[in-house]
Amino acid sequence: DAGVIQSPRHEVTEMGQEVTLRCKPISGHDYLFWYRQTMMRGLELLIYFNNNVPIDDSGMPEDRFSAKMPNASFSTLKIQPSEPRDSAVYFCASSFHREGSPLHFGNGTRLTVT
Amino acid sequence: AQTVTQSQPEMSVQEAETVTLSCTYDTSESNYYLFWYKQPPSRQMILVIRQEAYKQQNATENRFSVNFQKAAKSFSLKISDSQLGDTAMYFCAFMKHRGANNLFFGTGTRLTVIP
């Protein structure tokens, strides 16, 4: 299994631009999570999906952030317009829908907004 | 709400020695899961070990073992025979027994293995 695949690995963009981060979960996993990692706030959950349906987006910072999961093998996290404070590492993770099933993380996307 | 506390921001250990990383958590749940994840400089989050709260026996994975004290809400990670490749950030994480499998993370401990 190739694991969770995220792209791009690095993204540098200017303030005001649209940014799209992509994720391919592990085949067969029912849950998909988007986390953000910063020095100040650590790892925080942004949103998660169960069987492609968004369940809890209370961690999404504001309306500039949106996430979709059109099918079981693909998800996107979009920021429009981007701001310098959005600079962070964004992780996608997936797991089985079984209690206690561990999350498997992608390699993350490091986003820098100048 | 669940909170996870890692009180040691940084630690170091000599190669081949043993080191213990601390983690405490706060929850009103009686059943849950605890994890340790490793994040090396490559940035990837790697599962180290998993503990089920209703199991008394401490989990072990090769050189990694935990000391799970449910009453004290403590979940420390012991790394034996430390290797240079163990140099990483280590995150303790909590998962509820019921509901979604999302993790609540501590702030991490940066471990450096000194040759």
Side-chain angles (χ1 to χ4, degrees):
Chain A
D1 195 327
V4 176
I5 300 173
Q6 290 187 248
S7 64
R9 184 156 174 79
H10 303 279
E11 177 78 40
V12 181
T13 191
E14 292 183 349
M15 183 174 62
Q17 296 298 306
E18 177 180 295
V19 176
T20 300
L21 311 182
R22 297 172 176 79
C23 174
K24 176 179 168 57
I26 292 173
S27 177
H29 280 186
D30 312 283
Y31 278 120
L32 184 138
F33 305 85
W34 283 99
Y35 281 86
R36 180 171 68 175
Q37 184 179 31
T38 61
M39 289 294 292
M40 292 298 295
R41 300 173 68 89
L43 281 152
E44 50 183 346
L45 177 67
L46 299 178
I47 185 172
Y48 72 89
F49 296 81
N50 183 16
N51 290 324
N52 313 339
V53 176
I55 303 300
D56 184 355
D57 65 354
S58 60
M60 296 285 260
E62 47 198 272
D63 292 344
R64 299 184 296 106
F65 285 69
S66 63
K68 294 182 180 179
M69 192 166 185
N71 56 63
S73 60
F74 184 65
S75 177
T76 60
L77 178 67
K78 185 177 293 186
I79 308 172
Q80 166 64 17
S82 58
E83 297 183 1
R85 59 183 167 144
D86 302 330
S87 297
V89 178
Y90 291 82
F91 284 101
C92 175
S94 67
S95 78
F96 287 114
H97 187 185
R98 282 198 301 267
E99 290 175 352
S101 186
L103 273 61
H104 298 263
F105 285 80
N107 287 334
T109 295
R110 179 177 295 281
L111 173 65
T112 302
V113 183
T114 60
Chain B
Q2 280 65 228
T3 58
V4 179
T5 302
Q6 294 180 249
S7 58
Q8 305 153 316
E10 294 187 16
M11 294 191 71
S12 61
V13 62
Q14 290 289 138
E15 193 175 6
E17 296 296 309
T18 295
V19 65
T20 298
L21 309 183
S22 301
C23 173
T24 58
Y25 57 93
D26 188 23
T27 183
S28 58
E29 311 261 331
S30 59
N31 202 7
Y32 43 86
Y33 302 88
L34 296 164
F35 301 83
W36 280 96
Y37 278 83
K38 166 185 176 181
Q39 186 178 37
S42 65
R43 198 169 76 203
Q44 187 180 6
M45 293 286 287
I46 302 167
L47 175 66
V48 174
I49 203 163
R50 171 183 176 274
Q51 175 79 41
E52 301 173 29
Y54 56 86
K55 285 190 175 179
Q56 296 289 336
Q57 186 173 6
N58 289 324
T60 299
E61 288 288 341
N62 300 315
R63 298 182 295 106
F64 298 87
S65 61
V66 299
N67 183 5
F68 173 50
Q69 301 289 328
K70 190 172 184 180
K73 296 181 181 177
S74 171
F75 183 60
S76 60
L77 175 70
K78 185 171 82 170
I79 306 175
S80 304
D81 185 24
S82 297
Q83 301 175 359
L84 296 179
D86 296 334
T87 293
M89 282 288 287
Y90 286 81
F91 292 94
C92 178
F94 174 100
M95 179 188 289
K96 292 181 181 180
H97 175 62
R98 295 189 183 278
N101 285 2
N102 57 302
L103 291 168
F104 298 89
F105 285 93
T107 52
T109 295
R110 183 177 301 279
L111 176 68
T112 302
V113 180
I114 302 168

